[in-house]
Amino acid sequence: MEVDIRWVGFLIAYFILLMIIGYYASRKAKKFEDYTVAGRRASSFHLSWHFAASYISAASVVGLMSYQYEYGWSFLAFYTSGMAFGWLLLHILSEHFRKKVVGHTTADFFAERYYSDKLLRFWIAINYIWLLTVYMVIQYMGIGRVSEVILGLPYFWATLIVGLVVTIYVALGGAWSVLYTDIYQALIMWIGVVIMAPVIVALCGGFTNMNARLAEINPALLDITAGGVFPPVTIAHFFILGSLATASQAYYHRMFYMAPDKKRVKSIIGIGGVLTAIFYIAIMIGGVGVRVLAPGIDPEMAFPYAVKNLLPVGLSMIIIGAVYAAIMSTVDTILLTVGIHVSNDFIGVIKPISEKKKLILARLSTLAIGLVALVMALIRPAGIMSIYIFYGVTLPSFIAAPLFAGYFWKRATKEGAIASSVAGLVTAILWHGPLKQPFGIPTLFVSLQVSVIILIVVSLLTSPPPQRVVERFFKE
């Protein structure tokens, strides 16, 4: 495919602007707390757009559009319900993360709630580090693939340039760089996709006509089960996966620490969730519309087809910018979170260091992790969706039970949390990997049950949490 010089010029200008924003923000990162949680001074405007930008990823733009193309309205119905329930769970957790603990990471919460400053902190941090690094690899592979298919750019160079740009501006400015660049990128994503949806609907002859034509192609596209493709057990699995994977994400927990007060913590989900929901509905409407306008293409080509054949050039550029923005705004948040886990919960606990050295260590950790993820993406270890599914089932398996028990059950103990997390992780890896989900039972159905049972049994067999912990977390 011939490379269009207009796209190259647009992306160069886009990347330069990101670097300028990152450099400007770096001047505000003078202390470790500035670098990790923006000095706990982020506004509702900052946090709501930061949440939206972080939530929307490559899978959101390209993946969901292909799913809507293939399965019609069914995916919108059960995917968004799981997503919304995940936001509700995050909203509930926010009280403990900001009110009960003044920290920087999810591991800080576990160390305080489960009175384990080293062992459990290390375990939580190490698993978040490798899992989130895997998630970064998925995002980098996504941008390389999109660049190949839509723009004709070589996978290697597109992935390398995007990876270096993100790594540099995050390493420079930390949380402030991520906040400012995410606002810029979220606005591009949101405006582009929200404009795209009505354009595609208009090309279909209006919303009613679009659904009528969809029914002519296949009536199952209007059915919540997609004509039996998604039986109740699959719908339940997607619901649980979407809700728990959302609530288990360490980078959302870190956002709670960035707010100066309870009111701004609540705005993260209250405002950010609405912005994100509008985006998702728009991208899914676009997928259904492309099915009507081009019923015979490969579902994975739904997004590229819309950009190349249905949208005006100006809007196409904005939409391409939205894809890059979706990936980069997710990667920068993940990268910062991983870098902080390394410096705050791993190296910094092994050997206490000064505030200045901690800041330097955070920057170096961020730089190192970013480069490792980039190298892994360049060698393409496996298919994007296979890695994504593995990540999606493994994350909640290791963290969800002790995370929510820490909020709802005061009898949950340190030993129970550690045993539960280990059991959930091992079960998920074995069930999803070597055992290949025997009897067709989804991995999360098994791993979560094992994790919860182990948590309850071990907690009841060990000494209750210290009274100081109970009073801190369960008494107003």
Side-chain angles (χ1 to χ4, degrees), residues 8-21 143 158 161-162 165 169 184-185 324 328:
V8 175
F10 172 76
L11 290 176
I12 290 174
Y14 182 74
F15 294 153
I16 290 174
L17 185 55
L18 283 177
M19 295 295 287
I20 292 172
I21 294 173
I143 200 65
I161 292 170
V162 170
V165 169
Y169 77 67
Y184 163 60
Q185 297 187 102
Y324 278 82
M328 296 174 77

Side-chain angles (χ1 to χ4, degrees), residues 46 85 89 267 367 369:
H46 286 133
F85 189 67
L89 294 176
S267 72
L367 183 63
I369 294 293

